[in-house]
Amino acid sequence: MVLANFDENLKKYARLIAKVGVNAQSHHIVCLNVQIDQAKLAHLIVEELYALGVAEVLLNWKDDQVDLARYLYADDKRLVTVPDSYVQRLKESVDLKISQISITSGDPNVFKSVDSERTAKRLVAFKAASSDYSAAIMANKMSWTVAAAASYGWAAKVFPALPTNKEQLDALWDQIFKTTYVYAEDPVKAWQEHNDKLQKQAQKLNAAQFDALHYIAPGVDLTIGLPKNHYWAGAGDTNAQGEFFMANMPTEEVFTAPDRNRVDGYISSTKPLSYAGSIISGMKFTFKDGKVVDFSAEQSQEVMEKLMDTDEGARYLGEVALVPDPSPISQSGIIFFNTLFDENASNHLALGQAYASSVVGGEKMSKDELKARGLNRSDIHVDFMVGSNQMNIEGIQKDGIRTPIFRSGNWA
Ligand code: ZN
Ligand code: ZN
């Protein structure tokens, strides 16, 4: 296929990211985190941001090929050296509440030739150095959004059967445009309607205030306790200044935090996970009192194990998210090997840090207060997909009364 009106649609997409995603305001400084091979989209986003009247746009160009060369050849000590400039940039982002746009576009398996010991070491060092920044993002101190852009490497992984890399690229852009309402007559309005739908679903769950959720499916029997006053949200949220933003584009989920100490049973992943340039698949987790006590994976087990050794919280859950199997991304039947897409096609859980907003008033709580409320603290947050059309989920009230929430992968 060849995409019609690509330039026009790319411009619409850039506008959506600036206006709906990060919802840029005139006093905002905005940082755009993007790979260098996405310069065309980056330029369009920058133009839209300035047209919206923002104070300043900062560019953080990324390049997987540079990182790959470093992983392959840098000596061990350099690999874990975090430059002062990196620490300063993140500190400034927090101090000045710089809005963040992140464009995900990389080849999901770009670091497959690298020893996973080396990627893990560097990630641990950089995650630790960006701890305050991650916590600020996850407490919505500033607006932030994650959106995608198609690249040849990623498109080849998603559409290997298409004959040319141009066709692969177009097919992936087509999916990105479809799932973010770029083709809608009024994309901004389509997003408002979509957000309203998700908020309604979240409100129902907030009103129910279940004490726990019970997941049942083939390879799954897991009970997840929920904290008192937990809060279900859609990706549309407000920052500490009361400004609305859309954290993910696309998005189909409503999510909250589990009680980090009340997760028991076992669960299997249903889609592969691309993490740190490696693909991890066929994962099985066993939890006891919230902690992962047993784990296996068919592919890249060592990558996931190293990830869970990052810190104390890395073996506990920080997010529980519900996505009906009939979601448009799931129905496409495509495995994207990219969490932004795959997590929005499937019920998912995340290991590591919980969003502070997942308990009422959490954005203003300290790290210790959040932990006391059952919200997990960690330098990582990694989602993995567990949903299928065979999954049933029940909500359990404190008195033991059960209410079906999901039947055969859809809202009951
Ligand atoms: Zn999620
Ligand atoms: Zn997540």
Side-chain angles (χ1 to χ4, degrees):
M1 77 185 285
V2 175
L3 273 190
N5 309 321
F6 178 75
D7 288 352
E8 194 186 309
N9 286 324
L10 195 68
K11 199 169 160 55
K12 278 191 193 166
Y13 183 51
R15 185 169 304 150
L16 273 178
I17 291 169
K19 206 176 158 63
V20 177
V22 82
N23 186 17
Q25 308 288 310
S26 59
H27 58 279
H28 281 188
I29 303 173
V30 185
C31 179
L32 176 58
N33 304 281
V34 62
Q35 294 273 334
I36 52 157
D37 58 356
Q38 300 296 339
K40 187 171 177 175
L41 174 64
H43 293 158
L44 289 170
I45 295 172
V46 171
E47 194 184 334
E48 293 293 339
L49 289 169
Y50 277 120
L52 285 168
V54 301
E56 185 74 62
V57 183
L58 308 174
L59 261 298
N60 179 26
W61 294 108
K62 294 167 166 278
D63 189 342
D64 280 347
Q65 294 310 311
V66 170
D67 289 338
L68 178 60
R70 187 188 296 108
Y71 274 131
L72 290 174
Y73 302 109
D75 72 48
D76 274 0
K77 216 173 140 210
R78 287 305 308 171
L79 215 50
V80 297
T81 304
V82 181
D84 285 346
S85 59
Y86 178 86
V87 178
Q88 275 311 317
R89 184 170 61 75
L90 295 190
K91 188 178 177 305
E92 190 184 61
S93 292
V94 176
D95 292 348
L96 302 181
K97 300 185 172 64
I98 298 178
S99 306
Q100 302 288 326
I101 299 174
S102 297
I103 304 297
T104 165
S105 64
D107 175 346
N109 220 357
V110 63
F111 301 142
K112 66 171 185 292
S113 57
V114 179
D115 175 4
S116 63
E117 191 86 41
R118 285 170 64 79
T119 45
K121 260 189 207 159
R122 184 168 170 88
L123 279 170
V124 167
F126 276 73
K127 290 281 179 198
S130 53
S131 192
D132 290 349
Y133 170 79
S134 309
I137 286 280
M138 292 187 76
N140 297 338
K141 300 287 183 202
M142 58 275 216
S143 303
W144 57 279
T145 192
V146 184
S151 66
Y152 286 113
W154 179 17
K157 187 76 196 160
V158 184
F159 298 105
L162 291 179
T164 67
N165 49 20
K166 175 74 176 94
E167 281 172 276
Q168 293 169 341
L169 190 75
D170 278 4
L172 186 51
W173 271 121
D174 187 42
Q175 288 301 320
I176 293 171
F177 289 159
K178 256 185 206 155
T179 54
T180 55
Y181 305 111
V182 167
Y183 296 144
E185 201 173 317
D186 183 344
V188 174
K189 191 163 157 240
W191 267 98
Q192 279 160 356
E193 286 166 4
H194 181 57
N195 183 55
D196 288 348
K197 212 176 66 193
L198 292 173
Q199 299 300 343
K200 279 205 184 96
Q201 209 66 56
Q203 277 162 18
K204 276 188 212 164
L205 290 162
N206 284 328
Q209 280 295 309
F210 292 112
D211 179 59
L213 303 177
H214 186 199
Y215 288 55
I216 295 281
V220 178
D221 183 353
L222 186 73
T223 303
I224 300 178
L226 298 176
K228 200 175 159 221
N229 290 331
H230 63 267
Y231 183 78
W232 291 90
D237 214 334
T238 46
N239 67 17
Q241 292 69 250
E243 298 155 348
F244 187 82
F245 67 95
M246 191 67 64
N248 285 182
M249 302 179 103
T251 184
E252 299 288 340
E253 67 178 295
V254 294
F255 69 95
T256 189
D259 181 331
R260 65 161 249 148
N261 299 315
R262 290 197 296 134
V263 181
D264 289 280
Y266 54 90
I267 196 156
S268 311
S269 67
T270 49
K271 284 174 192 286
L273 162 67
S274 167
Y275 179 76
S278 291
I279 291 170
I280 313 167
S281 64
M283 292 178 275
K284 289 184 165 60
F285 298 86
T286 305
F287 290 87
K288 190 171 184 319
D289 299 330
K291 190 176 181 181
V292 176
V293 289
D294 196 24
F295 170 76
S296 65
E298 281 158 22
Q299 189 184 352
S300 305
Q301 175 158 345
E302 73 291 352
V303 176
M304 195 67 183
E305 273 181 351
K306 289 201 183 83
L307 175 72
M308 288 192 293
D309 288 338
T310 308
D311 54 26
E312 192 266 344
R315 278 177 195 270
Y316 290 81
L317 294 182
E319 179 189 334
V320 45
L322 301 175
V323 180
D325 187 66
S327 96
I329 306 175
S330 175
Q331 289 306 302
S332 73
I334 299 164
I335 294 175
F336 286 92
F337 299 96
N338 178 300
T339 297
L340 178 63
F341 281 80
D342 292 328
E343 74 170 347
N344 282 306
S346 171
N347 286 329
H348 57 272
L349 303 169
L351 288 168
Q353 180 100 324
Y355 288 93
S357 55
S358 292
V359 285
V360 176
E363 295 97 327
K364 295 197 173 75
M365 291 180 193
S366 71
K367 193 174 164 174
D368 289 341
E369 283 171 308
L370 288 168
K371 200 166 173 183
R373 300 293 291 274
L375 266 65
N376 193 34
R377 304 284 87 196
S378 169
D379 287 338
I380 66 152
H381 175 97
V382 178
D383 299 272
F384 60 96
M385 284 56 80
V386 298
S388 72
N389 60 10
Q390 300 179 71
M391 181 168 264
N392 293 334
I393 302 175
E394 290 182 339
I396 308 174
Q397 231 90 48
K398 250 206 147 52
D399 55 13
I401 292 175
R402 287 171 172 262
T403 311
I405 299 176
F406 263 56
R407 279 283 174 265
S408 305
N410 199 4
W411 294 108

